[in-house]
Amino acid sequence: MSIRIGIMGYGNLGRGIECAIRHNPDMKLAAVFTRRDPAKLRILTEGVRVYQAQDVFSHKDDIDILMICGGSATDLPEQTPALAREFNVIDSFDTHANIPQHFANVDKAAKESGHVAMISVGWDPGMFSLNRLIAMSILPGGSTYTFWGKGVSQGHSDAIRRVEGVADARQYTIPVEAALEAVRSGGNPDLTTRQKHTRECFVVAKEGADKEKIEQTIKTMPNYFSDYDTTVHFISQEELDRDHAGIPHGGFVIHSGKTGWNDEHNHIVEYSLKLDSNPEFTSSILVAYARAAYRMSGEGQTGCKTVFDVPPAYLSPFSGEELRAHML
Amino acid sequence: MSIRIGIMGYGNLGRGIECAIRHNPDMKLAAVFTRRDPAKLRILTEGVRVYQAQDVFSHKDDIDILMICGGSATDLPEQTPALAREFNVIDSFDTHANIPQHFANVDKAAKESGHVAMISVGWDPGMFSLNRLIAMSILPGGSTYTFWGKGVSQGHSDAIRRVEGVADARQYTIPVEAALEAVRSGGNPDLTTRQKHTRECFVVAKEGADKEKIEQTIKTMPNYFSDYDTTVHFISQEELDRDHAGIPHGGFVIHSGKTGWNDEHNHIVEYSLKLDSNPEFTSSILVAYARAAYRMSGEGQTGCKTVFDVPPAYLSPFSGEELRAHML
């Protein structure tokens, strides 16, 4: 029997989940829900229907796990607690500072209704968090460094698009190779924001716009760019569409720690991702955790969970016996 | 209250556990057990006693988790099931092919006696297994490659020492850089044993020994060397002691897999270790899993467990709340 997945919100992430389901024969797509006009939304899977978002509650019996693909700023804080009252749910809430509050809200809803609600699933938060936690547990007292990129930051690209005179933009976050090497050498360097990442911007200016002013506005933008070495390239819309259409990303979690009676030995644990498609990789993680949520719910567990709470075996379609024989 | 750890067997691994306990304030060393003469064994921790191995059963009430530091060939298949009848135990059983049988034996003993027994904890099996499992669950249909080294293989060093005319030896396993790069490029190459690793041997010959014959014997040794490009260097005992005294190791787990409706996007997940001391790093992992075993036992769980069964949060001394606030 397949695990029946519902998708709430059909953007890059929702579409990525649809694709990921295709790679997992123990799952099937049950329904897609959208705030757009369902009649106008074309999805990839044959024979699966698209419904209005608000109709989701009438499909309770058709869905084992509902994947909530909204944004962390305004969608998920509302949607996840509300939907956890009626469904087992997964979200990819990624505003790190607000995770405790989101967890509390979702936990209350999921515990009261008897569901499993898994939040902040993805690669950061998610896989990177797992690697930070495990490395720090093995080598306490060590230092963990997280680098992002090279990859497209949607938030920074959006910030550039809001600058006067900008028609379109794409921003890449790039880890500084020298900083990576310093960390890998075990030197436990203190690194400033500027030393860890650079930012590269590809900008399409509107006709007649003041490019010098645009560049200045970007480079001095607080929070987004002012703490970084930022490069701005002006290109045409055709070039942007041709050379920067993808959504690659990735990054590194490097932990450096010592062992021995007198800390005489050093160890480097490194986890890295090189992703052609950030949303599709994130979706693939969400789908593996949907399998875990399904099992945990089947065991009678309830409440809010994160990647920290999931025994890794639950992510796999294979039995414990198969995993021990072939992957341990 | 500290978790009271017992160490069964005081070799490199047992000593590494003693050091790791020092880095974990929620643990304390309760006792060390040895098959050698306890009066002659000097340990590092003040005020902790060393006992005869067979006296372990009279210390049941003083030990929360017993770390079994024997060899996988003959010690652990006997010791772990026997000790799991009286203690919560951890071992680092690493004969991959025999894990299912070992699991079955240990599971029976631990279930009947109501203990938690965690087997095959370390980095391979262990951390590498976790990374294989998680990457394969996220990107099913992809390919996972494991490379070991650069590092000292104890088993291969021992094999060389058994060659006639050899006084001492140290063998390094080295991953082939071109193979690593081929895998990282996403090409999913088929790699032979010879293409993945080379073997470098530092050999001290006995006086008057036939070096050419030694080299030939090593290079053609079935299972150990004949399938590899092997280099043999003859050096003096002084050089061996000076330059090759450490036990470094490490390696790489690289998973390459595709996403998208038509597999149009590729992703590389890489986990790597660079270890100054193989036994001390392994011991540090064992100690983190001892914390998990202690908690799982406290919850009433019983039976044999592996790293696949442990929720990552259980490895950390921090609460779920602290972990979500600071590491997620």
Side-chain angles (χ1 to χ4, degrees), chain A residues 174-247:
Chain A
I174 305 170
V176 175
E177 195 58 42
L180 281 170
E181 286 313 316
V183 170
R184 284 186 187 125
S185 77
N188 283 8
D190 283 321
L191 296 168
T192 63
T193 299
R194 191 177 300 274
Q195 285 171 319
K196 287 183 72 186
H197 297 93
T198 56
R199 298 197 177 277
E200 189 169 23
C201 314
F202 293 87
V203 179
V204 181
K206 289 181 183 161
E207 197 151 329
D210 180 344
K211 289 185 180 173
E212 213 160 300
K213 195 178 158 200
I214 289 172
E215 181 165 346
Q216 207 47 35
T217 306
I218 293 170
K219 287 184 168 177
T220 57
M221 199 185 294
N223 301 317
Y224 285 91
F225 293 101
S226 62
D227 294 337
Y228 299 86
D229 287 337
T230 301
T231 319
V232 176
H233 308 279
F234 288 96
I235 61 174
S236 68
Q237 185 73 51
E238 294 72 48
E239 286 171 309
L240 191 82
D241 294 344
R242 186 190 67 206
D243 302 334
H244 304 280
I247 318 178

Side-chain angles (χ1 to χ4, degrees), chain A:
Chain A
M1 223 191 55
S2 299
I3 303 171
R4 300 166 304 166
I5 304 287
I7 296 175
M8 170 61 72
Y10 193 76
N12 283 331
L13 202 62
R15 190 181 177 284
I17 287 170
E18 185 181 20
C19 294
I21 290 169
R22 198 183 198 194
H23 290 80
N24 288 278
D26 61 334
M27 312 228 167
K28 73 170 186 201
L29 181 59
V32 171
F33 303 92
T34 180
R35 287 181 293 205
R36 290 179 269 173
D37 178 359
K40 291 189 180 149
L41 190 68
R42 284 196 45 188
I43 67 169
L44 299 163
T45 314
E46 300 232 354
V48 171
R49 285 193 56 185
V50 181
Y51 302 95
Q52 278 285 331
Q54 69 257 31
D55 292 342
V56 66
F57 297 106
S58 58
H59 293 271
K60 274 175 57 172
D61 298 337
D62 313 326
I63 290 168
D64 295 312
I65 307 285
L66 183 64
M67 319 292 281
I68 314 179
C69 302
S72 296
T74 56
D75 296 336
L76 298 177
E78 297 283 327
Q79 288 179 323
T80 309
L83 292 166
R85 297 205 167 270
E86 305 289 345
F87 295 91
N88 295 313
V89 299
I90 313 263
D91 80 20
S92 61
F93 186 81
D94 66 358
T95 311
H96 290 260
N98 299 342
I99 286 174
Q101 185 58 54
H102 189 55
F103 183 93
N105 297 343
V106 173
D107 194 48
K108 184 168 186 292
K111 281 221 176 93
E112 285 174 5
S113 66
H115 290 101
V116 167
M118 220 173 272
I119 63 160
S120 301
V121 177
W123 58 273
D124 196 1
M127 291 298 109
F128 275 17
S129 322
L130 264 193
N131 278 279
R132 286 188 285 258
L133 167 63
I134 295 175
M136 188 57 100
S137 301
I138 293 173
L139 299 172
S143 303
T144 307
Y145 298 80
T146 303
F147 293 86
W148 297 274
K150 181 181 176 175
V152 172
S153 165
Q154 224 60 63
H156 287 78
S157 301
D158 289 344
I160 299 173
R161 281 189 212 102
R162 288 191 294 266
V163 171
E164 204 191 311
V166 171
D168 204 349
R170 185 62 52 117
Q171 193 270 177
Y172 295 92
T173 305
I174 305 170
V176 175
E177 195 58 42
L180 281 170
E181 286 313 316
V183 170
R184 284 186 187 125
S185 77
N188 283 8
D190 283 321
L191 296 168
T192 63
T193 299
R194 191 177 300 274
Q195 285 171 319
K196 287 183 72 186
H197 297 93
T198 56
R199 298 197 177 277
E200 189 169 23
C201 314
F202 293 87
V203 179
V204 181
K206 289 181 183 161
E207 197 151 329
D210 180 344
K211 289 185 180 173
E212 213 160 300
K213 195 178 158 200
I214 289 172
E215 181 165 346
Q216 207 47 35
T217 306
I218 293 170
K219 287 184 168 177
T220 57
M221 199 185 294
N223 301 317
Y224 285 91
F225 293 101
S226 62
D227 294 337
Y228 299 86
D229 287 337
T230 301
T231 319
V232 176
H233 308 279
F234 288 96
I235 61 174
S236 68
Q237 185 73 51
E238 294 72 48
E239 286 171 309
L240 191 82
D241 294 344
R242 186 190 67 206
D243 302 334
H244 304 280
I247 318 178
H249 220 311
F252 306 81
V253 174
I254 308 177
H255 184 84
S256 164
K258 295 185 183 302
T259 64
W261 194 250
N262 294 308
D263 283 351
E264 57 269 36
H265 292 124
N266 200 65
H267 307 276
I268 305 287
V269 182
E270 177 166 343
Y271 178 80
S272 69
L273 297 172
K274 199 174 146 221
L275 313 174
D276 275 359
S277 165
N278 182 359
E280 286 180 7
F281 186 74
T282 301
S283 302
S284 299
I285 299 170
L286 288 163
V287 165
Y289 278 90
R291 182 180 291 119
Y294 179 74
R295 290 198 188 156
M296 292 165 89
S297 173
E299 287 176 356
Q301 296 195 46
T302 66
C304 191
K305 311 284 177 192
T306 75
V307 295
F308 294 162
D309 305 308
V310 178
Y314 284 43
L315 301 173
S316 171
F318 298 108
S319 70
E321 224 161 0
E322 291 170 308
L323 293 178
R324 286 188 295 273
H326 303 297
M327 279 198 207
L328 194 61

Side-chain angles (χ1 to χ4, degrees), chain B residues 228-280:
Chain B
Y228 299 86
D229 289 337
T230 301
T231 318
V232 177
H233 308 279
F234 288 96
I235 61 175
S236 67
Q237 186 73 53
E238 294 72 45
E239 286 171 310
L240 191 80
D241 295 344
R242 186 191 65 206
D243 302 335
H244 304 281
I247 318 176
H249 219 314
F252 306 80
V253 174
I254 308 177
H255 184 84
S256 164
K258 295 187 183 301
T259 63
W261 195 249
N262 294 309
D263 283 350
E264 58 269 35
H265 292 124
N266 199 63
H267 307 276
I268 305 288
V269 182
E270 176 167 344
Y271 179 80
S272 69
L273 297 173
K274 198 174 147 222
L275 312 174
D276 275 358
S277 165
N278 182 358
E280 287 180 7

